[in-house]
Amino acid sequence: MAHWQPRFTAADAAIIKQQRTCDGFFKISRLTIRHSLFEGGEVEIVREQFQRGDAVCVLLFDPDNERIVLVEQFRVGALSKADSPWLLELVAGIVEEGETPEDVALREAVEEAGAAIYDIVPITRYLPSAGGSDEYVDLLCARVDSSGVGGVHGLQDEGEDILVHVLPFAEVCELVANGTIDNAATIIAVQWLQLNREQLLHRWGCV
């Protein structure tokens, strides 16, 4: 089994000064940090850290009908980066205090897709943009009955306007392959399902 350990630990870096520079929908802090160097000694740097909280993204898979449930919604980060800032994504949400990743997945599946999920399986945890954001993403897969799933969902008081899509698994794989789906969580989850689909079906007793 492959095993790797970083040269340094959290004890080799320290925040010397912290200043909140943005306190809106998301938070930004300017940090003065001192950390160890690979060739010896230390360096002091100033960096902005985007603080948006940890998130959960969940792939809704219907193994009985070979379908995936995805959601389409406006994303401000894609305004100048894509042909359209409306992206096709996984159901996702921010972790509130006291919640587990599974709690978030169950809540957001109802809020964003009107779907009940079960048999939740962890895929991985990752830092989507460690160069500037403190966000950790828990990526999950869950079983869903896609029959009757669809429509427009989301919480109005959170400005959500979410269109639900139920697509064949093969079509979603094609959308990832041709670059139509271009957000990290969805790409990772779909590629994971391509690699682990048979094992997942056995786990769920579908074969």
Side-chain angles (χ1 to χ4, degrees), residues 2-13:
H3 185 68
W4 171 84
Q5 289 289 335
R7 181 76 58 86
F8 301 119
T9 70
D12 296 295

Side-chain angles (χ1 to χ4, degrees), residues 37-207:
L37 296 170
F38 290 122
E39 294 185 333
E42 294 181 325
V43 66
E44 193 170 292
I45 60 173
V46 177
R47 294 289 185 272
E48 279 71 39
Q49 185 189 66
F50 180 41
Q51 299 160 338
R52 57 161 291 152
D54 294 338
V56 173
C57 300
V58 55
L59 174 67
L60 277 56
F61 179 50
D62 180 346
D64 298 312
N65 296 293
E66 286 284 303
R67 294 172 180 164
I68 288 176
V69 177
L70 296 174
V71 294
E72 178 185 352
Q73 60 185 314
F74 174 82
R75 290 306 201 189
V76 67
L79 259 176
S80 60
K81 298 291 186 182
D83 292 336
S84 171
W86 277 263
L87 304 185
L88 197 58
E89 303 177 315
L90 305 179
V91 163
I94 302 297
V95 181
E96 304 292 345
E97 187 174 354
E99 284 188 316
T100 66
E102 290 76 15
D103 291 335
V104 181
L106 290 163
R107 168 170 56 80
E108 292 294 338
V110 173
E111 290 180 7
E112 293 194 348
I117 59 173
Y118 53 106
D119 291 343
I120 299 173
V121 176
I123 296 176
T124 191
R125 299 188 77 226
Y126 68 97
L127 290 156
S129 188
S133 173
D134 69 346
E135 179 188 25
Y136 236 121
V137 172
D138 274 282
L139 196 55
L140 310 173
C141 180
R143 189 172 179 176
V144 68
D145 179 359
S146 63
S147 304
V149 174
V152 176
H153 297 269
L155 300 179
Q156 287 189 345
D157 60 349
E158 294 185 6
E160 294 181 332
D161 181 52
I162 300 170
L163 179 63
V164 177
H165 296 267
V166 179
L167 301 171
F169 171 59
E171 182 177 339
V172 175
C173 293
E174 170 102 13
L175 292 172
V176 169
N178 67 25
T180 301
I181 291 177
D182 58 359
N183 58 90
T186 311
I187 293 170
I188 295 168
V190 171
Q191 291 181 338
W192 174 88
L193 185 58
Q194 288 177 291
L195 292 171
N196 294 277
R197 178 177 161 278
E198 292 302 320
Q199 181 181 344
L200 187 64
L201 293 178
H202 278 286
R203 175 174 178 156
W204 287 347
C206 300
V207 290

Side-chain angles (χ1 to χ4, degrees), residues 18-44:
Q18 181 168 334
Q19 176 188 4
R20 177 63 54 82
T21 59
C22 178
D23 199 9
F25 186 75
F26 296 121
K27 318 295 183 187
I28 298 176
S29 291
R30 178 174 291 119
L31 308 179
T32 302
I33 303 159
R34 183 180 299 125
H35 71 77
S36 299
L37 296 170
F38 290 122
E39 294 185 333
E42 294 181 325
V43 66
E44 193 170 292

